[in-house]
Amino acid sequence: MQSGDVTADSALVWTRADRPGRMLVEVSRRPDLRGARLVRGPVVDPTGDLTGKVRLRGLPAGQRLHYRVRVESLDRHGLCSEPLTGSFATAPGRQQRRDVRFVWTGDIVGQGWGISPDFDGLAIFRAMRERRPDFFLCSGDTVYADGPLTESVVLPDGRTWRNLVTPEKSKVAETLAEYRGQFAYNLLDEHLRAFAAEVPQINQWDDHEVVNNWYPGEILTDERYGEKRVDVLAARARQAFHEWLPVPAGGPMYRKLSYGPLLDVFVLDMRTYKDPNDGNTYADRNRGLLGRAQREWLIRELRASRATWKVIANDLPIGVVVPDGADAQEGVAQGDHGAPAGRELEFAEVLRASHRAGVTGLVFLTADVHYTAAHHYDPARAAVRDFSPFWEFVSGPAHAGAFGPNALDGTFGPKAVFVHAPPRANTSPAEGFQHFGEVTIDGPSAALTVHLRDRSGASLWTTTLPAPSRR
């Protein structure tokens, strides 16, 4: 079971059964669930891969709630599965000025590094759970559908990494069943299951949920794929994503979640509307990663937000150059330090509109590049001046090959204040360089503290940002 997209008065609860049945959820303020409210959820059946989720409503704000999930037989009323129990914290209400703590990372089970019991599985989820966060932001690459696993890999020091392998993880995903199997695989890990039972999630997708560096309309040349139409693969991957994660069904993937007066989280979708990967130097303002509707939504919601901090969850970083081969770019930046061009035009518009409207407290959080870093952006160093200084914090991978660091593009004046990257490409989780970030907002002062942490939870670097004064 898992929970996700928690608000001040609602939460999504997800489960999967081993046979058809009716999903039942009980929720209470008490750990023993005495006097719990029962919510009858949907029927789980093979059409949805026996998964189901229900939106609990009318919950008290700013409370840790306890819940129990069962599945009832469709043939024998009252005959239920063994119950599973968990908890989650609802978001603070608009007037509840209290501390908020959350963690973020991305890139789970990538580059051939799967669940290895000899190396303590997905141990980073235990470390994140020990931080007792209010929620977890997964910044994309929730699975690696294009990264098959082999049973063993010889490490540089001579040790052997042994993967748990399932049929779906032994080849690239193409069918709906194979995409579903990517998510099922991750939940075989005990640390992830324990984490999911206690920490609500906010999930966004990036490329590896489908195939590396994909964009709509792409036709693959990868010989591993029989189905080479990315639009077909993406539709199957999107269905599996919605079936297997506690994310809202229907509507766009981009959304805003509020955590009291101190925090609004803006979750971007930088895949569904993405233009083709090319040199990324065009002047066409109708192209980009976000698309016009999402870009206008983001500007409108940032202007309307009264939260002290506006965290923008961007699954692709702004100033980090992410190539897609020799002649194309995967991300926002392209390495030209001059005026905004290509996809930079979209973010120049967002930053300019926010600056002119007096929006303060912008912080960007991302993963994607498989190392951790703190980047400060300042118009005094930039090729464009019409924006307010801001931070972008990078963290990852959660459990994948470590890479980097990548070059920075000078258009928006980034400065790498801290970087922790491996000595060589595709460093395994056994060698460290796995990362998550932690954000804490202090209730009384509204100061925002960021820790960049390693797989064990040790802090590698930290900074505290004072609450911004309103312009």
Side-chain angles (χ1 to χ4, degrees), residues 95-129:
Q95 305 305 317
Q96 290 181 313
R97 192 180 179 91
R98 67 159 179 81
D99 294 358
V100 177
R101 181 193 307 272
F102 68 95
V103 293
W104 92 93
T105 186
D107 319 310
I108 304 171
V109 183
Q111 285 74 47
W113 307 110
I115 299 169
S116 176
D118 295 341
F119 291 95
D120 203 15
L122 308 185
I124 198 167
F125 285 94
R126 179 181 61 208
M128 290 194 292
R129 178 182 171 220

PDB file of all heavy atoms in Angstrom, residues 95-129:
ATOM      1  N   GLN A  95      -4.098  28.360   7.999  1.00  0.00           N
ATOM      2  CA  GLN A  95      -3.724  29.161   9.151  1.00  0.00           C
ATOM      3  C   GLN A  95      -2.774  28.430  10.087  1.00  0.00           C
ATOM      4  O   GLN A  95      -2.427  28.964  11.142  1.00  0.00           O
ATOM      5  CB  GLN A  95      -4.996  29.564   9.919  1.00  0.00           C
ATOM      6  CG  GLN A  95      -6.051  30.272   9.091  1.00  0.00           C
ATOM      7  CD  GLN A  95      -5.523  31.497   8.381  1.00  0.00           C
ATOM      8  OE1 GLN A  95      -4.766  32.287   8.965  1.00  0.00           O
ATOM      9  NE2 GLN A  95      -5.902  31.674   7.117  1.00  0.00           N
ATOM     10  N   GLN A  96      -2.363  27.219   9.726  1.00  0.00           N
ATOM     11  CA  GLN A  96      -1.489  26.425  10.594  1.00  0.00           C
ATOM     12  C   GLN A  96      -0.025  26.672  10.230  1.00  0.00           C
ATOM     13  O   GLN A  96       0.509  26.068   9.310  1.00  0.00           O
ATOM     14  CB  GLN A  96      -1.820  24.945  10.476  1.00  0.00           C
ATOM     15  CG  GLN A  96      -3.154  24.555  11.086  1.00  0.00           C
ATOM     16  CD  GLN A  96      -3.427  23.067  10.957  1.00  0.00           C
ATOM     17  OE1 GLN A  96      -3.263  22.490   9.893  1.00  0.00           O
ATOM     18  NE2 GLN A  96      -3.850  22.448  12.049  1.00  0.00           N
ATOM     19  N   ARG A  97       0.601  27.536  10.970  1.00  0.00           N
ATOM     20  CA  ARG A  97       1.999  27.884  10.706  1.00  0.00           C
ATOM     21  C   ARG A  97       2.892  26.954  11.535  1.00  0.00           C
ATOM     22  O   ARG A  97       3.287  27.270  12.653  1.00  0.00           O
ATOM     23  CB  ARG A  97       2.247  29.345  11.070  1.00  0.00           C
ATOM     24  CG  ARG A  97       3.570  29.898  10.590  1.00  0.00           C
ATOM     25  CD  ARG A  97       3.721  31.345  11.005  1.00  0.00           C
ATOM     26  NE  ARG A  97       4.997  31.890  10.576  1.00  0.00           N
ATOM     27  CZ  ARG A  97       5.206  32.501   9.424  1.00  0.00           C
ATOM     28  NH1 ARG A  97       4.198  32.652   8.568  1.00  0.00           N
ATOM     29  NH2 ARG A  97       6.396  32.972   9.108  1.00  0.00           N
ATOM     30  N   ARG A  98       3.209  25.800  10.962  1.00  0.00           N
ATOM     31  CA  ARG A  98       4.046  24.832  11.685  1.00  0.00           C
ATOM     32  C   ARG A  98       5.163  24.344  10.767  1.00  0.00           C
ATOM     33  O   ARG A  98       5.163  24.587   9.558  1.00  0.00           O
ATOM     34  CB  ARG A  98       3.205  23.653  12.163  1.00  0.00           C
ATOM     35  CG  ARG A  98       2.640  22.746  11.073  1.00  0.00           C
ATOM     36  CD  ARG A  98       2.290  21.386  11.668  1.00  0.00           C
ATOM     37  NE  ARG A  98       1.730  20.456  10.702  1.00  0.00           N
ATOM     38  CZ  ARG A  98       2.439  19.724   9.844  1.00  0.00           C
ATOM     39  NH1 ARG A  98       3.754  19.844   9.789  1.00  0.00           N
ATOM     40  NH2 ARG A  98       1.840  18.869   9.018  1.00  0.00           N
ATOM     41  N   ASP A  99       6.139  23.654  11.373  1.00  0.00           N
ATOM     42  CA  ASP A  99       7.269  23.139  10.599  1.00  0.00           C
ATOM     43  C   ASP A  99       6.787  22.205   9.496  1.00  0.00           C
ATOM     44  O   ASP A  99       5.823  21.447   9.677  1.00  0.00           O
ATOM     45  CB  ASP A  99       8.219  22.354  11.500  1.00  0.00           C
ATOM     46  CG  ASP A  99       8.908  23.230  12.539  1.00  0.00           C
ATOM     47  OD1 ASP A  99       8.679  24.449  12.534  1.00  0.00           O
ATOM     48  OD2 ASP A  99       9.666  22.678  13.356  1.00  0.00           O
ATOM     49  N   VAL A 100       7.478  22.240   8.365  1.00  0.00           N
ATOM     50  CA  VAL A 100       7.234  21.307   7.266  1.00  0.00           C
ATOM     51  C   VAL A 100       8.578  20.680   6.897  1.00  0.00           C
ATOM     52  O   VAL A 100       9.584  21.379   6.743  1.00  0.00           O
ATOM     53  CB  VAL A 100       6.632  22.016   6.035  1.00  0.00           C
ATOM     54  CG1 VAL A 100       6.450  21.026   4.888  1.00  0.00           C
ATOM     55  CG2 VAL A 100       5.307  22.674   6.383  1.00  0.00           C
ATOM     56  N   ARG A 101       8.594  19.359   6.772  1.00  0.00           N
ATOM     57  CA  ARG A 101       9.814  18.646   6.389  1.00  0.00           C
ATOM     58  C   ARG A 101       9.482  17.670   5.255  1.00  0.00           C
ATOM     59  O   ARG A 101       8.508  16.923   5.343  1.00  0.00           O
ATOM     60  CB  ARG A 101      10.379  17.857   7.572  1.00  0.00           C
ATOM     61  CG  ARG A 101      11.682  17.101   7.246  1.00  0.00           C
ATOM     62  CD  ARG A 101      12.020  16.087   8.359  1.00  0.00           C
ATOM     63  NE  ARG A 101      12.048  16.707   9.651  1.00  0.00           N
ATOM     64  CZ  ARG A 101      13.118  17.286  10.190  1.00  0.00           C
ATOM     65  NH1 ARG A 101      14.247  17.300   9.524  1.00  0.00           N
ATOM     66  NH2 ARG A 101      13.048  17.848  11.374  1.00  0.00           N
ATOM     67  N   PHE A 102      10.295  17.683   4.202  1.00  0.00           N
ATOM     68  CA  PHE A 102      10.100  16.695   3.145  1.00  0.00           C
ATOM     69  C   PHE A 102      11.438  16.318   2.533  1.00  0.00           C
ATOM     70  O   PHE A 102      12.454  17.001   2.722  1.00  0.00           O
ATOM     71  CB  PHE A 102       9.116  17.181   2.080  1.00  0.00           C
ATOM     72  CG  PHE A 102       9.586  18.346   1.233  1.00  0.00           C
ATOM     73  CD1 PHE A 102      10.191  18.138   0.004  1.00  0.00           C
ATOM     74  CD2 PHE A 102       9.370  19.659   1.647  1.00  0.00           C
ATOM     75  CE1 PHE A 102      10.613  19.197  -0.790  1.00  0.00           C
ATOM     76  CE2 PHE A 102       9.782  20.730   0.860  1.00  0.00           C
ATOM     77  CZ  PHE A 102      10.399  20.496  -0.359  1.00  0.00           C
ATOM     78  N   VAL A 103      11.436  15.202   1.820  1.00  0.00           N
ATOM     79  CA  VAL A 103      12.646  14.707   1.151  1.00  0.00           C
ATOM     80  C   VAL A 103      12.348  14.576  -0.338  1.00  0.00           C
ATOM     81  O   VAL A 103      11.193  14.458  -0.748  1.00  0.00           O
ATOM     82  CB  VAL A 103      13.115  13.357   1.730  1.00  0.00           C
ATOM     83  CG1 VAL A 103      13.602  13.530   3.164  1.00  0.00           C
ATOM     84  CG2 VAL A 103      12.016  12.304   1.665  1.00  0.00           C
ATOM     85  N   TRP A 104      13.420  14.614  -1.136  1.00  0.00           N
ATOM     86  CA  TRP A 104      13.238  14.399  -2.573  1.00  0.00           C
ATOM     87  C   TRP A 104      14.463  13.700  -3.148  1.00  0.00           C
ATOM     88  O   TRP A 104      15.577  13.792  -2.643  1.00  0.00           O
ATOM     89  CB  TRP A 104      12.974  15.712  -3.308  1.00  0.00           C
ATOM     90  CG  TRP A 104      14.189  16.400  -3.852  1.00  0.00           C
ATOM     91  CD1 TRP A 104      14.726  16.289  -5.112  1.00  0.00           C
ATOM     92  CD2 TRP A 104      15.063  17.309  -3.146  1.00  0.00           C
ATOM     93  NE1 TRP A 104      15.860  17.076  -5.236  1.00  0.00           N
ATOM     94  CE2 TRP A 104      16.078  17.704  -4.049  1.00  0.00           C
ATOM     95  CE3 TRP A 104      15.062  17.827  -1.847  1.00  0.00           C
ATOM     96  CZ2 TRP A 104      17.090  18.594  -3.684  1.00  0.00           C
ATOM     97  CZ3 TRP A 104      16.076  18.701  -1.480  1.00  0.00           C
ATOM     98  CH2 TRP A 104      17.065  19.078  -2.386  1.00  0.00           C
ATOM     99  N   THR A 105      14.241  12.968  -4.220  1.00  0.00           N
ATOM    100  CA  THR A 105      15.283  12.341  -5.026  1.00  0.00           C
ATOM    101  C   THR A 105      14.610  11.812  -6.281  1.00  0.00           C
ATOM    102  O   THR A 105      13.434  12.078  -6.536  1.00  0.00           O
ATOM    103  CB  THR A 105      16.014  11.223  -4.243  1.00  0.00           C
ATOM    104  OG1 THR A 105      17.126  10.740  -5.020  1.00  0.00           O
ATOM    105  CG2 THR A 105      15.101  10.055  -3.928  1.00  0.00           C
ATOM    106  N   GLY A 106      15.342  11.042  -7.080  1.00  0.00           N
ATOM    107  CA  GLY A 106      14.786  10.419  -8.279  1.00  0.00           C
ATOM    108  C   GLY A 106      15.708   9.309  -8.730  1.00  0.00           C
ATOM    109  O   GLY A 106      16.665   8.954  -8.051  1.00  0.00           O
ATOM    110  N   ASP A 107      15.414   8.717  -9.884  1.00  0.00           N
ATOM    111  CA  ASP A 107      16.322   7.751 -10.522  1.00  0.00           C
ATOM    112  C   ASP A 107      16.413   6.459  -9.706  1.00  0.00           C
ATOM    113  O   ASP A 107      17.391   6.237  -8.979  1.00  0.00           O
ATOM    114  CB  ASP A 107      17.724   8.357 -10.700  1.00  0.00           C
ATOM    115  CG  ASP A 107      17.693   9.812 -11.154  1.00  0.00           C
ATOM    116  OD1 ASP A 107      16.989  10.100 -12.128  1.00  0.00           O
ATOM    117  OD2 ASP A 107      18.355  10.656 -10.520  1.00  0.00           O
ATOM    118  N   ILE A 108      15.407   5.583  -9.861  1.00  0.00           N
ATOM    119  CA  ILE A 108      15.295   4.386  -9.031  1.00  0.00           C
ATOM    120  C   ILE A 108      15.478   3.132  -9.888  1.00  0.00           C
ATOM    121  O   ILE A 108      14.724   2.904 -10.834  1.00  0.00           O
ATOM    122  CB  ILE A 108      13.929   4.356  -8.321  1.00  0.00           C
ATOM    123  CG1 ILE A 108      13.719   5.642  -7.497  1.00  0.00           C
ATOM    124  CG2 ILE A 108      13.807   3.136  -7.414  1.00  0.00           C
ATOM    125  CD1 ILE A 108      12.317   5.805  -6.945  1.00  0.00           C
ATOM    126  N   VAL A 109      16.479   2.332  -9.535  1.00  0.00           N
ATOM    127  CA  VAL A 109      16.814   1.062 -10.190  1.00  0.00           C
ATOM    128  C   VAL A 109      17.205   1.304 -11.656  1.00  0.00           C
ATOM    129  O   VAL A 109      16.570   0.815 -12.586  1.00  0.00           O
ATOM    130  CB  VAL A 109      15.675   0.020 -10.065  1.00  0.00           C
ATOM    131  CG1 VAL A 109      16.073  -1.315 -10.675  1.00  0.00           C
ATOM    132  CG2 VAL A 109      15.294  -0.198  -8.605  1.00  0.00           C
ATOM    133  N   GLY A 110      18.258   2.066 -11.839  1.00  0.00           N
ATOM    134  CA  GLY A 110      18.733   2.379 -13.179  1.00  0.00           C
ATOM    135  C   GLY A 110      20.113   1.843 -13.484  1.00  0.00           C
ATOM    136  O   GLY A 110      20.870   1.452 -12.595  1.00  0.00           O
ATOM    137  N   GLN A 111      20.435   1.803 -14.774  1.00  0.00           N
ATOM    138  CA  GLN A 111      21.747   1.403 -15.298  1.00  0.00           C
ATOM    139  C   GLN A 111      22.142  -0.021 -14.898  1.00  0.00           C
ATOM    140  O   GLN A 111      23.318  -0.343 -14.756  1.00  0.00           O
ATOM    141  CB  GLN A 111      22.842   2.384 -14.858  1.00  0.00           C
ATOM    142  CG  GLN A 111      22.824   3.704 -15.600  1.00  0.00           C
ATOM    143  CD  GLN A 111      21.673   4.593 -15.157  1.00  0.00           C
ATOM    144  OE1 GLN A 111      21.436   4.774 -13.968  1.00  0.00           O
ATOM    145  NE2 GLN A 111      20.968   5.142 -16.129  1.00  0.00           N
ATOM    146  N   GLY A 112      21.142  -0.872 -14.679  1.00  0.00           N
ATOM    147  CA  GLY A 112      21.427  -2.269 -14.385  1.00  0.00           C
ATOM    148  C   GLY A 112      21.634  -2.590 -12.923  1.00  0.00           C
ATOM    149  O   GLY A 112      21.926  -3.740 -12.580  1.00  0.00           O
ATOM    150  N   TRP A 113      21.462  -1.617 -12.039  1.00  0.00           N
ATOM    151  CA  TRP A 113      21.640  -1.831 -10.606  1.00  0.00           C
ATOM    152  C   TRP A 113      20.273  -2.044  -9.972  1.00  0.00           C
ATOM    153  O   TRP A 113      19.544  -1.100  -9.703  1.00  0.00           O
ATOM    154  CB  TRP A 113      22.377  -0.651  -9.979  1.00  0.00           C
ATOM    155  CG  TRP A 113      23.658  -0.322 -10.682  1.00  0.00           C
ATOM    156  CD1 TRP A 113      23.915   0.772 -11.442  1.00  0.00           C
ATOM    157  CD2 TRP A 113      24.847  -1.126 -10.724  1.00  0.00           C
ATOM    158  NE1 TRP A 113      25.194   0.723 -11.944  1.00  0.00           N
ATOM    159  CE2 TRP A 113      25.792  -0.434 -11.526  1.00  0.00           C
ATOM    160  CE3 TRP A 113      25.208  -2.352 -10.160  1.00  0.00           C
ATOM    161  CZ2 TRP A 113      27.058  -0.940 -11.773  1.00  0.00           C
ATOM    162  CZ3 TRP A 113      26.483  -2.853 -10.419  1.00  0.00           C
ATOM    163  CH2 TRP A 113      27.390  -2.152 -11.211  1.00  0.00           C
ATOM    164  N   GLY A 114      19.922  -3.303  -9.760  1.00  0.00           N
ATOM    165  CA  GLY A 114      18.626  -3.646  -9.209  1.00  0.00           C
ATOM    166  C   GLY A 114      18.694  -3.892  -7.714  1.00  0.00           C
ATOM    167  O   GLY A 114      19.607  -3.433  -7.018  1.00  0.00           O
ATOM    168  N   ILE A 115      17.713  -4.618  -7.210  1.00  0.00           N
ATOM    169  CA  ILE A 115      17.653  -4.946  -5.790  1.00  0.00           C
ATOM    170  C   ILE A 115      18.664  -6.061  -5.516  1.00  0.00           C
ATOM    171  O   ILE A 115      18.557  -7.161  -6.062  1.00  0.00           O
ATOM    172  CB  ILE A 115      16.239  -5.399  -5.393  1.00  0.00           C
ATOM    173  CG1 ILE A 115      15.233  -4.265  -5.646  1.00  0.00           C
ATOM    174  CG2 ILE A 115      16.193  -5.843  -3.930  1.00  0.00           C
ATOM    175  CD1 ILE A 115      13.778  -4.705  -5.535  1.00  0.00           C
ATOM    176  N   SER A 116      19.647  -5.772  -4.692  1.00  0.00           N
ATOM    177  CA  SER A 116      20.673  -6.750  -4.324  1.00  0.00           C
ATOM    178  C   SER A 116      20.640  -6.943  -2.812  1.00  0.00           C
ATOM    179  O   SER A 116      21.069  -6.045  -2.072  1.00  0.00           O
ATOM    180  CB  SER A 116      22.068  -6.284  -4.759  1.00  0.00           C
ATOM    181  OG  SER A 116      23.050  -7.202  -4.324  1.00  0.00           O
ATOM    182  N   PRO A 117      20.128  -8.066  -2.325  1.00  0.00           N
ATOM    183  CA  PRO A 117      20.105  -8.294  -0.876  1.00  0.00           C
ATOM    184  C   PRO A 117      21.486  -8.197  -0.240  1.00  0.00           C
ATOM    185  O   PRO A 117      21.616  -7.759   0.910  1.00  0.00           O
ATOM    186  CB  PRO A 117      19.521  -9.711  -0.760  1.00  0.00           C
ATOM    187  CG  PRO A 117      18.708  -9.887  -2.003  1.00  0.00           C
ATOM    188  CD  PRO A 117      19.475  -9.156  -3.069  1.00  0.00           C
ATOM    189  N   ASP A 118      22.536  -8.568  -0.958  1.00  0.00           N
ATOM    190  CA  ASP A 118      23.896  -8.498  -0.408  1.00  0.00           C
ATOM    191  C   ASP A 118      24.316  -7.069  -0.108  1.00  0.00           C
ATOM    192  O   ASP A 118      25.192  -6.844   0.734  1.00  0.00           O
ATOM    193  CB  ASP A 118      24.897  -9.109  -1.393  1.00  0.00           C
ATOM    194  CG  ASP A 118      24.689 -10.598  -1.606  1.00  0.00           C
ATOM    195  OD1 ASP A 118      24.036 -11.224  -0.745  1.00  0.00           O
ATOM    196  OD2 ASP A 118      25.147 -11.121  -2.636  1.00  0.00           O
ATOM    197  N   PHE A 119      23.715  -6.106  -0.801  1.00  0.00           N
ATOM    198  CA  PHE A 119      24.045  -4.700  -0.594  1.00  0.00           C
ATOM    199  C   PHE A 119      22.860  -3.925  -0.027  1.00  0.00           C
ATOM    200  O   PHE A 119      22.698  -2.741  -0.268  1.00  0.00           O
ATOM    201  CB  PHE A 119      24.538  -4.081  -1.908  1.00  0.00           C
ATOM    202  CG  PHE A 119      25.877  -4.600  -2.346  1.00  0.00           C
ATOM    203  CD1 PHE A 119      25.966  -5.648  -3.251  1.00  0.00           C
ATOM    204  CD2 PHE A 119      27.041  -4.066  -1.839  1.00  0.00           C
ATOM    205  CE1 PHE A 119      27.195  -6.145  -3.651  1.00  0.00           C
ATOM    206  CE2 PHE A 119      28.281  -4.550  -2.231  1.00  0.00           C
ATOM    207  CZ  PHE A 119      28.367  -5.598  -3.137  1.00  0.00           C
ATOM    208  N   ASP A 120      22.013  -4.633   0.725  1.00  0.00           N
ATOM    209  CA  ASP A 120      20.929  -4.028   1.511  1.00  0.00           C
ATOM    210  C   ASP A 120      19.856  -3.372   0.655  1.00  0.00           C
ATOM    211  O   ASP A 120      19.209  -2.413   1.079  1.00  0.00           O
ATOM    212  CB  ASP A 120      21.500  -3.016   2.510  1.00  0.00           C
ATOM    213  CG  ASP A 120      20.555  -2.787   3.699  1.00  0.00           C
ATOM    214  OD1 ASP A 120      19.625  -3.605   3.883  1.00  0.00           O
ATOM    215  OD2 ASP A 120      20.748  -1.800   4.425  1.00  0.00           O
ATOM    216  N   GLY A 121      19.605  -3.900  -0.529  1.00  0.00           N
ATOM    217  CA  GLY A 121      18.469  -3.448  -1.328  1.00  0.00           C
ATOM    218  C   GLY A 121      18.452  -1.955  -1.568  1.00  0.00           C
ATOM    219  O   GLY A 121      19.493  -1.310  -1.738  1.00  0.00           O
ATOM    220  N   LEU A 122      17.256  -1.388  -1.560  1.00  0.00           N
ATOM    221  CA  LEU A 122      17.079   0.052  -1.782  1.00  0.00           C
ATOM    222  C   LEU A 122      17.175   0.770  -0.439  1.00  0.00           C
ATOM    223  O   LEU A 122      16.214   1.388   0.052  1.00  0.00           O
ATOM    224  CB  LEU A 122      15.738   0.328  -2.455  1.00  0.00           C
ATOM    225  CG  LEU A 122      15.437  -0.460  -3.740  1.00  0.00           C
ATOM    226  CD1 LEU A 122      14.118   0.017  -4.354  1.00  0.00           C
ATOM    227  CD2 LEU A 122      16.569  -0.356  -4.752  1.00  0.00           C
ATOM    228  N   ALA A 123      18.360   0.712   0.176  1.00  0.00           N
ATOM    229  CA  ALA A 123      18.541   1.170   1.550  1.00  0.00           C
ATOM    230  C   ALA A 123      18.310   2.659   1.724  1.00  0.00           C
ATOM    231  O   ALA A 123      18.048   3.122   2.839  1.00  0.00           O
ATOM    232  CB  ALA A 123      19.941   0.806   2.036  1.00  0.00           C
ATOM    233  N   ILE A 124      18.395   3.436   0.647  1.00  0.00           N
ATOM    234  CA  ILE A 124      18.191   4.875   0.781  1.00  0.00           C
ATOM    235  C   ILE A 124      16.784   5.192   1.288  1.00  0.00           C
ATOM    236  O   ILE A 124      16.565   6.196   1.959  1.00  0.00           O
ATOM    237  CB  ILE A 124      18.470   5.587  -0.560  1.00  0.00           C
ATOM    238  CG1 ILE A 124      18.694   7.080  -0.330  1.00  0.00           C
ATOM    239  CG2 ILE A 124      17.357   5.338  -1.582  1.00  0.00           C
ATOM    240  CD1 ILE A 124      19.277   7.797  -1.536  1.00  0.00           C
ATOM    241  N   PHE A 125      15.818   4.297   1.005  1.00  0.00           N
ATOM    242  CA  PHE A 125      14.460   4.552   1.487  1.00  0.00           C
ATOM    243  C   PHE A 125      14.363   4.384   3.006  1.00  0.00           C
ATOM    244  O   PHE A 125      13.534   5.020   3.649  1.00  0.00           O
ATOM    245  CB  PHE A 125      13.466   3.646   0.762  1.00  0.00           C
ATOM    246  CG  PHE A 125      13.201   4.097  -0.645  1.00  0.00           C
ATOM    247  CD1 PHE A 125      13.915   3.576  -1.713  1.00  0.00           C
ATOM    248  CD2 PHE A 125      12.263   5.082  -0.898  1.00  0.00           C
ATOM    249  CE1 PHE A 125      13.699   4.014  -3.002  1.00  0.00           C
ATOM    250  CE2 PHE A 125      12.029   5.538  -2.191  1.00  0.00           C
ATOM    251  CZ  PHE A 125      12.748   5.000  -3.249  1.00  0.00           C
ATOM    252  N   ARG A 126      15.202   3.542   3.577  1.00  0.00           N
ATOM    253  CA  ARG A 126      15.258   3.464   5.041  1.00  0.00           C
ATOM    254  C   ARG A 126      15.807   4.769   5.614  1.00  0.00           C
ATOM    255  O   ARG A 126      15.280   5.305   6.592  1.00  0.00           O
ATOM    256  CB  ARG A 126      16.137   2.295   5.478  1.00  0.00           C
ATOM    257  CG  ARG A 126      16.272   2.163   7.011  1.00  0.00           C
ATOM    258  CD  ARG A 126      17.163   1.001   7.385  1.00  0.00           C
ATOM    259  NE  ARG A 126      18.503   1.188   6.843  1.00  0.00           N
ATOM    260  CZ  ARG A 126      19.316   0.186   6.522  1.00  0.00           C
ATOM    261  NH1 ARG A 126      18.926  -1.072   6.667  1.00  0.00           N
ATOM    262  NH2 ARG A 126      20.522   0.434   6.044  1.00  0.00           N
ATOM    263  N   ALA A 127      16.877   5.295   4.997  1.00  0.00           N
ATOM    264  CA  ALA A 127      17.461   6.542   5.475  1.00  0.00           C
ATOM    265  C   ALA A 127      16.465   7.694   5.362  1.00  0.00           C
ATOM    266  O   ALA A 127      16.373   8.533   6.271  1.00  0.00           O
ATOM    267  CB  ALA A 127      18.735   6.855   4.688  1.00  0.00           C
ATOM    268  N   MET A 128      15.710   7.748   4.270  1.00  0.00           N
ATOM    269  CA  MET A 128      14.706   8.813   4.128  1.00  0.00           C
ATOM    270  C   MET A 128      13.580   8.643   5.137  1.00  0.00           C
ATOM    271  O   MET A 128      13.085   9.627   5.700  1.00  0.00           O
ATOM    272  CB  MET A 128      14.161   8.829   2.696  1.00  0.00           C
ATOM    273  CG  MET A 128      15.168   9.300   1.663  1.00  0.00           C
ATOM    274  SD  MET A 128      14.426   9.708   0.053  1.00  0.00           S
ATOM    275  CE  MET A 128      13.895   8.095  -0.511  1.00  0.00           C
ATOM    276  N   ARG A 129      13.177   7.419   5.373  1.00  0.00           N
ATOM    277  CA  ARG A 129      12.113   7.161   6.358  1.00  0.00           C
ATOM    278  C   ARG A 129      12.545   7.619   7.749  1.00  0.00           C
ATOM    279  O   ARG A 129      11.728   8.159   8.514  1.00  0.00           O
ATOM    280  CB  ARG A 129      11.795   5.673   6.347  1.00  0.00           C
ATOM    281  CG  ARG A 129      10.737   5.219   7.347  1.00  0.00           C
ATOM    282  CD  ARG A 129      10.563   3.717   7.253  1.00  0.00           C
ATOM    283  NE  ARG A 129       9.730   3.185   8.303  1.00  0.00           N
ATOM    284  CZ  ARG A 129       9.964   2.039   8.940  1.00  0.00           C
ATOM    285  NH1 ARG A 129      11.020   1.304   8.608  1.00  0.00           N
ATOM    286  NH2 ARG A 129       9.161   1.617   9.879  1.00  0.00           N
TER     287      ARG A 129
END
